[in-house]
Amino acid sequence: MYSKQSSINSMQKTSDQEIRGTKEALIQDLEKKLRCKDSLLQNGNQRLTYEERMARRLLGPANAASVLDTQGEENMQNAQHQNAENIRLQVPTTHVRSRPSSRGDDRGHDSIQEKFFQPRFTQVPEDVVIEEGRFCRLDFKVSGLPTPDVMWYQNGRMVHQDQFHKMIVSEKGFHSFIFEAVKSADAGTYECVAVNRAGEASFTVKVEVIAKEHHMPPTFIFKPQSKKVFEGDTARLECQISAIPTPRIYWKRNNEMVQYNTDRISLLHDNTGRICLLIHNASKKDAGWYTVSAVNGAGVATCHARLEVATHANKPLPAPKQLRVRPTFSKYLALNGRGLDVKQAFSPEGEFQRLAEQSGLYESDEL
């Protein structure tokens, strides 16, 4: 009986020692894991997750470490198995983010999976050829989730917004890249890049700038001068203008357009810029203030001159033509030239004799 009791006591002592040793070994193992975890937190600047903090609070540091390590190994094995399966089936990976539900009911602990979509251009502009100084606008449309950020590069260099370059974003993914006034330095190849968390997309467009022709506003080398002409004379209003390109010429009389290229009024000009307004057979209605305007893409030049049309006050009469008398030997013509009436002198015979005696003339036998 004694031996049986002693054996039982010895067995209890042995089992207690084994249990105590096993417990101490387990505690040492948990402490070692916790020390490793703490060293990782200190060296790697890692932060405990919400689940880890809750597990430590509810289960204690030792039990929490063992449980989390087991879950981590299972998650890693599942992820490796899933990746291997995707590679075998060539299934594209999708970007998924889990976020807690905003609802306050019992389902608040569930998570909502949100997918990301890579940017995609659904509308792109064509290549542009534009003259220097003009307004230019490049419109395009891009889609993606989340909304992608858009950047522009000119020949590999990023383009920043300034007073000549504007980047506008409107609703539903419509974007515009605006050149307020195109310059020669804006020519080149432009690349538009759209980026979000899921990836990026891009397109290119070429912008060719045509050099602007050199322009010079019109200037008067010499201006038209005021003139006075008489009725019926020809009036000339002349000037010379320098401009690039060749300007358009307009003439006005008292703010009314002059209708030239007619039989009486014509406009002449040459390659040196000389301009002449000719008015034939001037009359009183042609008098007034004349305005000449030269217009081109660079500017306008205007000048005024007055034309007076006068009437002849004492117009001289034309000199009468002199009559040439043919020479003759007739005595009757000679007498008529002295104021004598030959017919009366010879009609009555007595009167003729009386006159003949007074004048000392005698009839000759030659008559």
Side-chain angles (χ1 to χ4, degrees):
M1 187 68 180
Y2 176 78
S3 60
K4 184 177 180 180
Q5 185 68 29
S6 61
S7 63
I8 292 173
N9 293 333
S10 62
M11 290 177 61
Q12 290 178 352
K13 291 180 180 179
T14 304
S15 60
D16 292 339
Q17 291 177 357
E18 291 178 355
I19 292 172
R20 189 180 297 107
T22 305
K23 185 176 181 180
E24 291 177 356
L26 180 60
I27 292 173
Q28 290 177 0
D29 184 57
L30 291 176
E31 290 178 352
K32 183 178 179 181
K33 289 183 178 180
L34 289 175
R35 283 196 298 270
C36 292
K37 185 71 173 179
D38 293 337
S39 63
L40 289 175
L41 290 174
Q42 293 175 0
N43 297 331
N45 293 326
Q46 297 181 1
R47 309 179 78 178
L48 293 175
T49 62
Y50 176 78
E51 295 178 353
E52 291 175 342
R53 291 197 302 270
M54 293 300 296
R56 283 191 170 212
R57 183 180 300 176
L58 297 175
L59 303 177
N63 296 331
S66 61
V67 171
L68 292 175
D69 289 342
T70 303
Q71 291 181 353
E73 292 177 358
E74 292 179 356
N75 293 335
M76 184 177 296
Q77 292 177 0
N78 293 333
Q80 291 177 355
H81 178 71
Q82 184 67 28
N83 291 336
E85 186 69 16
N86 290 339
I87 294 173
R88 186 177 66 82
L89 299 177
Q90 294 183 356
V91 177
T93 59
T94 57
H95 302 271
V96 178
R97 184 184 67 179
S98 297
R99 59 185 179 89
S101 175
S102 60
R103 298 180 180 179
D105 54 6
D106 295 338
R107 292 174 295 177
H109 299 286
D110 298 336
S111 62
I112 299 175
Q113 294 182 347
E114 181 179 353
K115 293 185 178 181
F116 296 151
F117 295 97
Q118 184 176 349
R120 186 171 66 92
F121 289 99
T122 57
Q123 176 183 333
V124 296
E126 298 180 352
D127 295 343
V128 177
V129 179
I130 192 167
E131 184 180 1
E132 185 179 4
R134 298 278 187 173
F135 175 86
C136 180
R137 179 170 180 162
L138 303 177
D139 296 325
F140 61 96
K141 185 178 180 180
V142 63
S143 62
L145 187 67
T147 302
D149 297 325
V150 177
M151 294 165 288
W152 281 92
Y153 297 87
Q154 179 194 12
N155 300 327
R157 298 180 60 183
M158 180 176 287
V159 179
H160 300 280
Q161 294 195 70
D162 54 28
Q163 59 179 346
F164 299 106
H165 304 88
K166 307 293 183 183
M167 300 177 188
I168 300 176
V169 181
S170 59
E171 297 180 355
K172 298 182 180 180
F174 286 98
H175 295 248
S176 296
F177 184 27
I178 294 177
F179 300 82
E180 293 290 347
V182 177
K183 300 179 292 185
S184 58
D186 293 327
T189 301
Y190 286 81
E191 182 183 12
C192 180
V193 180
V195 181
N196 67 4
R197 296 180 183 178
E200 67 178 45
S202 64
F203 71 87
T204 59
V205 60
K206 292 183 179 180
V207 176
E208 181 180 351
V209 180
I210 301 175
K212 188 176 182 180
E213 182 183 1
H214 177 65
H215 287 185
M216 183 177 70
T219 55
F220 284 93
I221 299 176
F222 67 84
K223 299 179 180 181
Q225 303 296 320
S226 298
K227 289 189 176 182
K228 180 179 180 180
V229 297
F230 289 98
E231 288 183 312
D233 294 344
T234 298
R236 298 171 63 94
L237 297 176
E238 299 177 283
C239 63
Q240 187 174 5
I241 299 173
S242 174
I244 299 176
T246 303
R248 298 185 299 274
I249 305 299
Y250 303 95
W251 282 91
K252 290 183 180 181
R253 180 183 65 248
N254 298 331
N255 293 328
E256 293 183 0
M257 295 297 298
V258 176
Q259 300 298 327
Y260 44 82
N261 296 331
T262 62
D263 295 338
R264 202 172 64 86
I265 302 176
S266 58
L267 180 65
L268 306 176
H269 58 86
D270 58 16
N271 294 331
T272 63
R274 290 180 176 269
I275 300 170
C276 179
L277 182 67
L278 284 177
I279 303 175
H280 300 281
N281 192 19
S283 61
K284 284 288 187 180
K285 67 178 182 179
D286 296 323
W289 281 100
Y290 282 77
T291 302
V292 56
S293 299
V295 182
N296 68 3
V300 180
T302 303
C303 190
H304 308 278
R306 182 170 179 78
L307 177 64
E308 295 184 9
V309 180
T311 304
H312 293 282
N314 296 319
K315 190 173 182 179
L317 297 175
K321 294 182 179 180
Q322 295 183 357
L323 299 177
R324 298 180 64 184
V325 180
R326 297 178 61 184
T328 181
F329 298 100
S330 174
K331 292 183 178 181
Y332 299 106
L333 293 176
L335 292 174
N336 287 333
R338 294 182 180 181
L340 298 176
D341 190 356
V342 177
K343 183 177 180 180
Q344 184 179 2
F346 286 94
S347 57
E349 186 177 351
E351 185 67 23
F352 173 76
Q353 291 178 354
R354 186 178 62 79
L355 293 174
E357 292 177 354
Q358 290 179 358
S359 61
L361 298 175
Y362 297 94
E363 184 179 359
S364 174
D365 296 336
E366 295 178 359
L367 294 176

